[in-house]
Amino acid sequence: MRIAIDAMSGDLGSAPVVEACRHFANEHKDATLVVVGKQEELESLKDLENVEIVDARDVVKMTDSVMSVRRKKESSLVKALMMARNDEVDGVVSCGSTGAYYTAAMLFVKRIEGVSKSCLMATLPTFNGQGTCLLDVGANAENTAEQLGDFAIMGSLYCKNVRDIGNPKVALLNIGAEPHKGDEMHQEAYKLLNEMKETGKVNFVGNIEGRDILKGDADVIVTDGFSGNIALKSTEGAALIVMKAVKEGLMSSTRGKIGALIAKPAIYSVKDKFDYKTVGGALMMGFDHALVKAHGASDAQAFESAMALTYKMVENHVVDQLREGLKA
Amino acid sequence: MRIAIDAMSGDLGSAPVVEACRHFANEHKDATLVVVGKQEELESLKDLENVEIVDARDVVKMTDSVMSVRRKKESSLVKALMMARNDEVDGVVSCGSTGAYYTAAMLFVKRIEGVSKSCLMATLPTFNGQGTCLLDVGANAENTAEQLGDFAIMGSLYCKNVRDIGNPKVALLNIGAEPHKGDEMHQEAYKLLNEMKETGKVNFVGNIEGRDILKGDADVIVTDGFSGNIALKSTEGAALIVMKAVKEGLMSSTRGKIGALIAKPAIYSVKDKFDYKTVGGALMMGFDHALVKAHGASDAQAFESAMALTYKMVENHVVDQLREGLKA
């Protein structure tokens, strides 16, 4: 298996990526890492047998417009994706800007035959520790019911093959529990998902409301890109703000500070539980290669978890599974 | 001023409502409370000069379908709203089901002339303690750009007259900061709000993303009912789940328990800050009376804060302000 690594596009530069690559390459001798970036920054990987270095002189910066990928052909991100386009690698990992990454994937990487729309999938940490896959989280500003049906298939197959969930529960994000809730598209999507349940295609469990996303009752939550983006960022924002308020609350009095000092391990465990950085990033779904996006501010550990995810997707032939699943 | 109080529709029965009414009536001699409910449960209010009791034998239960308000004419909720319809009161407070309350308002209470759509507005607690008004949070499954323009006017006037904010900042909930973000409707809404800014109608500050809702940078956030409902429930759900996780994290070890005991006041202050019960509930906007919804599980204090909100709306002629503002 060969995985292309974009070493340059993250907030923290190449250092954490290099560290992650060194560790991962030593642990996974059956995988070849094709590390793309400024070669002078990748020197320390040269001695590793299963690492190839590809020089790339340009970088797509976080502040660049997403369309910059059109002209930045010599960037590490575009070069890594071009290797997927040319079937030189099985998967790509980057911690670059989500928008630029997705745009470049749309421009340069083929879609799976039969998929009505590609999308972005995020795995959210949940209270029960299981996590839940939410898609689309913002690749599309609008979606059709049929597209949500495809998202349900893709999310289910991902859960089966990567998260080892036998019969993943699929829910539709909506503004109420009853089938008639939501606008016309969501009512249609409910019907379609119900039909797909009856034919055994997906294990549809009904509508889910925003307040239940983080409970972890559903393994997959399908939604249009607009609502999904709002839901993802609202939960993420609220979780971060409440944690920040807890911290400030504790630090605002001596008594709080003492209590915090004692309770530190317990408080940190919660912080880790809902830390979006630990989840391994978003996935570009519907493409004929495994395209994984690590968090922009990934440290070595976070980047390595994104690499492990890619490895598992390739090892378990997730793209082939999706191709089969979307055929019928 | 006369305010109708639905005493029966909350999760906790009439007791907290009666307690709230007694206290409020004593504090606000210039207001007459018309308390609607089973008269045998309202006995203790009889001695108060500025309380009138209206017997209602039926109750709209939380589990009733929203359309039950059509036939439950003898319910406390419908009777209270009929008094608004007949101009016998200036405002109504209920802690009944939001769906039933809004449906009954649509059926029985007049809309303000010129308003394109009524909606539900919630005030969310924010990190900076200011709070932010989000509308629509789910009365409509779809909205037009024009309707979002009306929401901006209504939210602004509410902030000016009730929250005492001189020049309220209005943001559009969207999936990115740039003007071209979102589907066609949101792009149109951006343009319209920008025009309204140029003519001095609203202080539009641009798009806001889900993750920034609770920061408190905007005083008013306008959105379609579908996205608004997802945003409201996602933030509320995430805040509650993180607080629950903090609690469980602390309680899972002796060390955590000791720390929690010491830090209790600090932790409680955060819980209160993000407790949706303390905010006073949602408002039905666009009707020609002040219609306030207290939280379903309101205790006496929460119910009284909803009454205080109604009082302030009536005292400051908010409905008249809205009528004027929506004219131009």
Side-chain angles (χ1 to χ4, degrees):
Chain A
M1 138 178 11
R2 292 168 62 83
I3 302 173
I5 308 295
D6 165 14
M8 308 302 297
S9 309
D11 290 327
L12 308 177
S14 60
V17 179
V18 168
E19 189 189 334
C21 285
R22 168 164 287 282
H23 192 258
F24 190 90
N26 278 324
E27 299 277 312
H28 299 84
K29 295 289 184 194
D30 58 331
T32 298
L33 303 181
V34 187
V35 187
V36 190
K38 292 185 178 161
Q39 56 186 0
E40 62 273 23
E41 296 189 26
L42 310 174
E43 286 285 329
S44 68
L45 295 171
K46 272 194 175 158
D47 58 316
L48 292 165
E49 251 178 47
N50 53 338
V51 169
E52 296 173 14
I53 289 168
V54 172
D55 190 39
R57 306 311 306 167
D58 208 353
V59 178
V60 175
K61 294 195 196 80
M62 287 290 178
T63 49
D64 284 346
S65 97
V66 296
M67 292 316 290
S68 68
V69 295
R70 268 187 196 277
R71 48 180 181 80
K72 291 204 164 183
K73 298 274 155 105
E74 294 304 313
S75 66
S76 52
L77 174 63
V78 173
K79 279 194 137 179
L81 286 169
M82 288 308 284
M83 281 189 274
R85 181 197 183 95
N86 300 329
D87 276 332
E88 293 160 21
V89 294
D90 304 293
V92 177
V93 187
S94 170
C95 50
S97 117
T98 309
Y101 191 174
Y102 188 77
T103 305
M106 295 262 286
L107 285 171
F108 305 125
V109 184
K110 284 192 211 84
R111 281 220 306 263
I112 294 171
E113 315 89 86
V115 70
S116 52
K117 205 86 173 174
S118 56
C119 73
L120 273 170
M121 186 175 86
T123 305
L124 280 70
T126 58
F127 185 72
N128 64 2
Q130 300 284 314
T132 189
C133 289
L134 183 67
L135 69 170
D136 177 21
V137 295
N140 308 289
E142 278 178 286
N143 287 105
T144 65
E146 190 206 356
Q147 288 161 8
L148 266 61
D150 280 0
F151 298 169
I153 292 173
M154 292 197 280
S156 292
L157 288 169
Y158 176 84
C159 284
K160 276 184 200 165
N161 289 286
V162 180
R163 294 175 57 206
D164 305 312
I165 300 168
N167 191 24
K169 284 174 278 183
V170 177
L172 172 66
L173 185 62
N174 207 331
I175 60 173
E178 305 87 346
H180 64 83
K181 282 287 177 175
D183 57 14
E184 210 176 306
M185 190 281 279
H186 286 86
Q187 292 172 22
E188 254 181 64
Y190 188 99
K191 268 187 217 155
L192 176 64
L193 290 165
N194 225 14
E195 284 164 24
M196 289 168 75
K197 181 191 178 172
E198 278 159 20
T199 57
K201 266 192 162 178
V202 293
N203 178 18
F204 180 54
V205 296
N207 287 332
I208 191 168
E209 293 190 70
R211 73 164 63 87
D212 297 325
I213 293 173
L214 294 193
K215 281 191 186 159
D217 295 338
D219 303 304
V220 179
I221 301 174
V222 294
T223 165
D224 64 283
F226 196 94
S227 310
N229 187 277
I230 301 286
L232 174 71
K233 290 180 181 162
S234 297
T235 51
E236 192 175 6
L240 286 171
I241 290 250
V242 170
M243 287 307 298
K244 194 175 156 195
V246 168
K247 201 178 153 193
E248 289 209 356
L250 292 171
M251 290 302 134
S252 66
S253 68
T254 310
R255 189 173 160 175
K257 276 180 201 167
I258 295 167
L261 203 65
I262 296 169
K264 214 173 179 178
I267 291 170
Y268 268 79
S269 78
V270 179
K271 202 168 164 286
D272 287 346
K273 193 172 187 172
F274 289 101
D275 186 350
Y276 282 69
K277 270 191 267 177
T278 62
V279 184
L283 278 102
M284 322 274 149
M285 297 294 278
F287 296 98
D288 72 350
H289 284 75
L291 306 182
V292 176
K293 153 89 177 82
H295 197 281
S298 288
D299 56 17
Q301 202 192 337
F303 197 88
E304 201 180 333
S305 81
M307 291 166 78
L309 192 62
T310 317
Y311 180 89
K312 196 160 184 191
M313 282 184 78
V314 176
E315 194 184 28
N316 294 348
H317 309 284
V318 172
V319 169
D320 293 332
Q321 300 271 1
L322 295 180
R323 193 179 288 119
E324 274 307 303
L326 290 163
K327 239 180 210 169
Chain B
M1 142 180 6
R2 293 167 61 83
I3 302 173
I5 308 294
D6 165 13
M8 308 302 296
S9 307
D11 289 329
L12 308 177
S14 60
V17 179
V18 167
E19 191 189 331
C21 285
R22 167 165 287 282
H23 192 258
F24 189 91
N26 278 324
E27 299 277 311
H28 299 84
K29 296 289 186 194
D30 58 333
T32 298
L33 303 181
V34 188
V35 188
V36 190
K38 291 183 177 161
Q39 56 186 1
E40 61 274 23
E41 297 189 24
L42 309 175
E43 286 286 329
S44 68
L45 295 170
K46 271 192 177 160
D47 58 317
L48 292 165
E49 251 177 48
N50 53 337
V51 168
E52 296 173 14
I53 288 168
V54 172
D55 191 37
R57 306 310 305 165
D58 208 353
V59 178
V60 176
K61 295 193 195 83
M62 287 290 176
T63 50
D64 285 347
S65 97
V66 295
M67 291 316 289
S68 68
V69 296
R70 269 187 194 278
R71 48 181 178 77
K72 290 203 163 182
K73 299 274 157 109
E74 294 303 313
S75 65
S76 52
L77 175 62
V78 174
K79 278 192 139 180
L81 285 169
M82 288 309 284
M83 280 189 276
R85 180 196 183 94
N86 299 329
D87 276 331
E88 293 159 22
V89 293
D90 304 292
V92 176
V93 187
S94 170
C95 50
S97 117
T98 308
Y101 190 174
Y102 187 78
T103 305
M106 294 263 284
L107 285 170
F108 305 126
V109 184
K110 283 192 213 85
R111 280 218 306 262
I112 294 172
E113 314 91 84
V115 69
S116 53
K117 204 86 173 177
S118 56
C119 73
L120 272 170
M121 186 175 86
T123 305
L124 279 70
T126 57
F127 185 73
N128 64 0
Q130 299 285 314
T132 188
C133 289
L134 183 67
L135 68 169
D136 176 22
V137 294
N140 308 290
E142 277 176 287
N143 287 106
T144 64
E146 190 206 357
Q147 288 161 8
L148 265 61
D150 280 2
F151 298 169
I153 293 173
M154 292 198 280
S156 292
L157 288 169
Y158 175 83
C159 283
K160 276 183 201 165
N161 290 285
V162 179
R163 293 175 57 205
D164 305 312
I165 300 168
N167 191 23
K169 284 174 278 185
V170 178
L172 171 66
L173 185 63
N174 208 333
I175 59 174
E178 304 87 346
H180 63 82
K181 284 285 177 175
D183 57 13
E184 209 177 308
M185 189 282 279
H186 286 87
Q187 291 172 21
E188 254 181 65
Y190 188 99
K191 268 188 219 157
L192 177 64
L193 290 165
N194 226 15
E195 283 164 25
M196 291 168 75
K197 181 191 179 172
E198 277 158 23
T199 57
K201 266 191 161 181
V202 292
N203 178 18
F204 180 53
V205 296
N207 287 331
I208 190 168
E209 293 190 70
R211 71 165 63 87
D212 298 324
I213 294 173
L214 294 193
K215 281 191 186 157
D217 296 337
D219 303 305
V220 179
I221 301 174
V222 294
T223 165
D224 64 284
F226 196 94
S227 310
N229 187 278
I230 301 285
L232 174 71
K233 289 181 182 163
S234 296
T235 50
E236 190 175 7
L240 286 171
I241 290 249
V242 170
M243 286 307 298
K244 194 176 157 193
V246 168
K247 200 179 154 194
E248 288 208 357
L250 292 171
M251 289 301 132
S252 66
S253 69
T254 309
R255 189 174 160 174
K257 277 181 199 165
I258 294 166
L261 204 64
I262 296 169
K264 214 172 178 177
I267 292 171
Y268 268 79
S269 77
V270 180
K271 202 170 165 283
D272 286 347
K273 193 172 188 173
F274 289 101
D275 186 350
Y276 282 69
K277 270 190 267 178
T278 61
V279 184
L283 278 103
M284 322 273 150
M285 297 293 279
F287 296 98
D288 73 349
H289 283 75
L291 307 182
V292 176
K293 153 88 176 84
H295 197 281
S298 288
D299 55 18
Q301 201 192 336
F303 197 88
E304 201 179 333
S305 81
M307 290 166 78
L309 192 60
T310 317
Y311 179 90
K312 195 159 184 192
M313 282 184 77
V314 176
E315 196 183 27
N316 294 349
H317 309 285
V318 173
V319 169
D320 292 332
Q321 300 272 2
L322 295 179
R323 192 178 289 117
E324 274 308 302
L326 289 163
K327 240 181 209 167

